[in-house]
Amino acid sequence: MIDFAAANAALGRADGILIVTHSDPDGDAIGSLLGLGNALRAQGIKVACAVDGGVPAFLQFLPHADQVLSTLPGMQADLLICLDANQPERVGQVGAQGMASCSTVINLDHHVSNTGFGDIQLVVPEAAAACEVVFHWLRSLSLPLTVEVAQPLLTGLVTDTLGFRTSNVRAATLQIALELMGPGISLYDIVAQTFEKRPIADLLLWQEVLPSLTLEEGVAAAQIRVEDCWRAGLEPGEDGDLPSLLRSTAESRVAVVFREMKDGSVSLSMRSKPPCDVAQVAVALGGGGHAQAAGATIAGPLQAARERVLPLLHAAANGGSATTRS
Ligand code: 5GP
Ligand code: MN
């Protein structure tokens, strides 16, 4: 486990703290943001939490989600804490503002592809979620696990492990979950709020795009065009959780969804089953992520993106090196 001493000293010195997380935030991003933010604020520490676009609707049940800023009108922080982001570009506009005005940056993450940015690194690749690292940090500060702290952290742990189903779940992960349930947090409520809330629009998107499904060399692939999203009632760039659906097929070892974005670029969502590793493919394409879930944004159009990426994924699915840059 990493040494939290330098981070604790930076907290003690700070006049104001800005906490940010990756844009297009998921349960771990918002869970770690609110878990840490609520814990520090309860100690009377001046904290602002921010993420571009604010908290997504499905996570607004979390305590004090309404206090998360979507823009930063004025900045009075000198310590920036970046959560769940493997590289500084991931923390969006609010993060860039924080980087420009804060004298110290703490990088707290669990991505194997973390670039080691910032002045103080709290990066634990074996952690199942950024929330797990926040949990250990709060422990080192002897801060209490109140409902406002434990519920967001447990939400991050549950969502990033897809309900404790990913290959990085260890006995220690379940031990932390047990402790987070201690203050009376309902695991069922978190599951109901996050996994059991699929909008029907997701299924309408599947209906639109599944005709593009292919399975070659253990790689299940599908593509989503901007017009498919409009037809399903979704915003361009949304994926309706299709990458996980493709990976759940018996015949695939790797899954990929090519998403056409409004600016013509192509956003990739990649998934794999152990021992296949898609993080190395994502990094080779300028993105990042984990061995079993990674992403990148590359130049379009869709057909060119497919021709560039699929050979790399075929190699990843068949035990070969996929680090070739093409
Ligand atoms: P998803 O496919 O759910 O969007 O992302 C899966 C994983 O890949 C997440 O851990 C996410 O942080 C990472 N990821 C997705 N897209 C990008 C990207 O464009 N750049 C980087 N660095 N990581 C990404
Ligand atoms: Mn995460």
Side-chain angles (χ1 to χ4, degrees):
M1 185 44 64
I2 44 171
D3 181 6
F4 289 105
N8 294 349
L11 277 185
R13 279 195 307 272
D15 279 332
I17 300 173
L18 172 64
I19 314 179
V20 298
T21 188
H22 64 80
S23 37
D24 193 15
D26 56 15
D28 192 29
I30 299 298
S32 55
L33 187 70
L34 286 171
L36 181 61
N38 293 347
L40 296 181
R41 206 175 281 123
Q43 301 303 305
I45 298 173
K46 214 174 99 195
V47 182
C49 296
V51 62
D52 285 2
V55 176
F58 81 103
L59 293 166
Q60 279 171 9
F61 72 98
L62 290 171
H64 304 309
D66 54 337
Q67 292 179 13
V68 175
L69 305 170
S70 54
T71 55
L72 292 173
M75 271 289 308
Q76 282 164 0
D78 58 357
L79 173 62
L80 175 71
I81 305 175
C82 298
L83 303 173
D84 200 29
N86 76 318
Q87 55 192 33
E89 293 74 22
R90 289 281 288 158
V91 289
Q93 191 64 41
V94 293
Q97 274 179 268
M99 299 269 178
S101 56
C102 292
S103 52
T104 307
V105 176
I106 296 180
N107 163 9
L108 183 155
D109 188 26
H110 70 126
H111 288 90
V112 68
S113 57
N114 191 284
T115 59
F117 70 93
D119 304 296
I120 299 167
Q121 285 84 31
L122 307 177
V123 179
V124 185
E126 58 277 10
C131 282
E132 187 176 325
V133 187
V134 171
F135 171 89
H136 287 298
W137 190 10
L138 298 182
R139 266 290 144 82
S140 84
L141 289 161
S142 303
L143 294 184
L145 276 184
T146 59
V147 169
E148 285 75 20
V149 174
Q151 197 196 25
L153 293 183
L154 187 56
T155 299
L157 206 53
V158 170
T159 54
D160 244 31
T161 58
L162 309 177
F164 303 110
R165 292 186 300 137
T166 53
S167 61
N168 56 2
V169 172
R170 298 152 295 139
T173 321
L174 298 179
Q175 185 66 44
I176 293 167
L178 189 66
E179 292 189 43
L180 291 173
M181 288 180 75
I185 308 300
S186 162
L187 181 60
Y188 175 74
D189 280 353
I190 291 174
V191 169
Q193 293 280 2
T194 53
F195 294 122
E196 308 282 342
K197 286 261 171 103
R198 193 190 294 287
I200 201 82
D202 283 7
L203 275 71
L204 295 175
L205 183 69
W206 297 357
Q207 198 170 35
E208 292 291 336
V209 305
L210 280 177
S212 74
L213 176 68
T214 55
L215 176 74
E216 280 171 26
E217 300 188 42
V219 179
Q223 65 182 41
I224 303 175
R225 297 164 305 172
V226 166
E227 65 212 68
D228 298 322
C229 290
W230 294 135
R231 267 204 287 272
L234 292 171
E235 286 297 312
E238 293 193 72
D239 68 13
D241 204 22
L242 186 65
S244 302
L245 181 73
L246 298 194
R247 179 175 56 185
S248 71
T249 54
E251 293 83 356
S252 70
R253 294 184 293 282
V254 166
V256 59
V257 172
F258 296 87
R259 274 174 296 168
E260 180 188 41
M261 308 302 280
K262 267 199 284 199
D263 65 3
S265 65
V266 174
S267 173
L268 305 172
S269 260
M270 296 175 279
R271 300 288 183 270
S272 71
K273 297 171 187 168
C276 300
D277 178 358
V278 286
Q280 52 166 335
V281 178
V283 169
L285 295 167
H290 308 280
Q292 265 77 59
T297 300
I298 63 172
L302 277 168
Q303 189 54 33
R306 293 176 69 99
E307 285 167 13
R308 180 176 173 202
V309 173
L310 284 172
L312 302 179
L313 291 177
H314 291 159
N318 294 288
S321 164
T323 51
T324 329
R325 280 156 218 267
S326 56

